[in-house]
């Protein structure tokens, strides 16, 4: 039981951060993962994100130390432009698969052809184009810094016509931002243990 997500779907549907695995949510039984360590995790038929099996052209792509390095469930997350298609299988796996209680996610990368082809992309977000944070605006603070760029491209073609081909892909991400936090700190009187100016609620007197 599974579903193939084709290249047209991958490149035309909007993806936050160009994360192809978000499209797995198109399949019945797949829900977003609530585990904060798994930036790109999802649950298949109620199983945890760590119980999925990722493959890239048949090779193991599972990140078994997730959160220590990238916070991703995958060792490498292929660029959207480099993926030909991928398949999510949720049950009745073939005997060739194992090590999964959740889903099997098989990614097939593009390859070179007898003609040269490629692509280039650049996605930009910055503080000039975005509105100010609500809490920063209420406090009279200026917009914080935001400079987010995702860029890269692909190139494929022949090395030896009809026999040998090449295909290369690159994606870079640069993210510089600042956040506004709202916190509560004790007054000098409270630090000294004087709470006389504060109405303290007694939960036993309701």
């Amino acid at each position: 039981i599974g579903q193939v997500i084709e290249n047209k779907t991958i490149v035309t549907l909007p993806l936050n951060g160009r994360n192809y695995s978000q499209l797995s949510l198109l399949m019945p039984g797949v829900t977003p993962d609530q585990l904060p360590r798994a930036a790109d995790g999802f649950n298949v038929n109620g199983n945890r994100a760590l119980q999925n099996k990722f493959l890239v052209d048949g090779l193991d792509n599972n990140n078994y130390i997730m959160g220590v390095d990238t916070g991703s469930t995958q060792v490498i997350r292929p660029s959207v432009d480099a993926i030909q298609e991928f398949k999510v299988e949720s049950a009745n796996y073939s005997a060739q698969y194992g090590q999964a209680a959740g889903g099997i996610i098989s990614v097939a990368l593009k390859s070179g052809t007898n003609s040269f082809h490629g692509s280039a992309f650049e996605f930009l977000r910055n503080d000039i184009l975005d509105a100010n944070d609500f809490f920063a605006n209420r406090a009279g603070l200026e917009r914080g810094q935001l400079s987010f760029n995702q860029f890269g491209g692909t190139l494929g073609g022949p090395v030896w016509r009809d026999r040998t081909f090449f295909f290369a892909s690159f994606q870079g991400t640069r993210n510089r931002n600042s956040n506004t936090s709202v916190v509560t700190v004790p007054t000098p009187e409270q630090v000294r243990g004087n709470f006389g100016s504060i109405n303290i609620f007694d939960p036993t007197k309701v």
Side-chain angles (χ1 to χ4, degrees):
I1 300 175
Q3 179 174 341
V4 174
I5 310 297
E6 298 179 348
N7 179 259
K8 183 178 180 180
T9 303
I10 297 172
V11 298
T12 55
L13 289 182
L15 291 172
N16 185 13
R18 292 173 55 82
N19 177 9
Y20 81 92
S21 59
Q22 293 174 350
L23 296 176
S24 301
L25 300 175
L26 297 173
M27 182 175 171
V30 179
T31 58
D33 183 53
Q34 303 303 317
L35 183 65
R37 288 175 54 200
D40 55 358
F42 53 89
N43 306 119
V44 179
N45 294 334
N47 293 285
R48 295 189 177 190
L50 294 176
Q51 295 174 313
N52 296 328
K53 179 72 172 180
F54 288 90
L55 300 169
V56 174
D57 286 339
L59 297 177
D60 185 6
N61 191 34
N62 274 48
N63 185 359
Y64 296 103
I65 54 173
M66 185 193 68
V68 177
D69 49 0
T70 62
S72 173
T73 55
Q74 306 168 62
V75 176
I76 60 169
R77 193 165 64 198
S79 170
V80 171
D81 293 60
I83 299 175
Q84 179 63 35
E85 64 181 24
F86 72 96
K87 183 177 183 180
V88 181
E89 297 185 61
S90 61
N92 295 340
Y93 315 127
S94 169
Q96 65 183 313
Y97 299 123
Q99 300 177 328
I104 305 291
I105 300 88
S106 303
V107 177
L109 299 180
K110 293 179 180 178
S111 60
T113 63
N114 277 330
S115 60
F116 289 97
H117 62 278
S119 64
F121 60 88
E122 160 73 20
F123 294 91
L124 165 69
R125 284 186 60 198
N126 60 31
D127 49 83
I128 298 176
L129 302 175
D130 283 12
N132 196 6
D133 178 86
F134 171 81
F135 297 102
N137 191 53
R138 187 176 66 174
L141 301 175
E142 296 182 356
R143 281 178 294 188
Q145 179 191 13
L146 172 61
S147 180
F148 181 87
N149 297 81
Q150 272 189 314
F151 54 91
T154 63
L155 179 65
V159 176
W160 188 358
R161 292 186 64 86
D162 298 324
R163 296 191 180 185
T164 308
F165 313 94
F166 77 93
F167 182 83
S169 169
F170 171 79
Q171 175 173 296
T173 301
R174 305 292 182 268
N175 187 11
R176 297 175 296 278
N177 62 62
S178 59
N179 297 315
T180 301
S181 300
V182 179
V183 298
T184 301
V185 297
T187 64
E189 290 79 11
Q190 293 172 344
V191 172
R192 292 192 296 268
N194 182 4
F195 295 88
S197 61
I198 299 175
N199 294 325
I200 299 178
F201 174 73
D202 188 350
T204 63
K205 298 179 180 179
V206 177

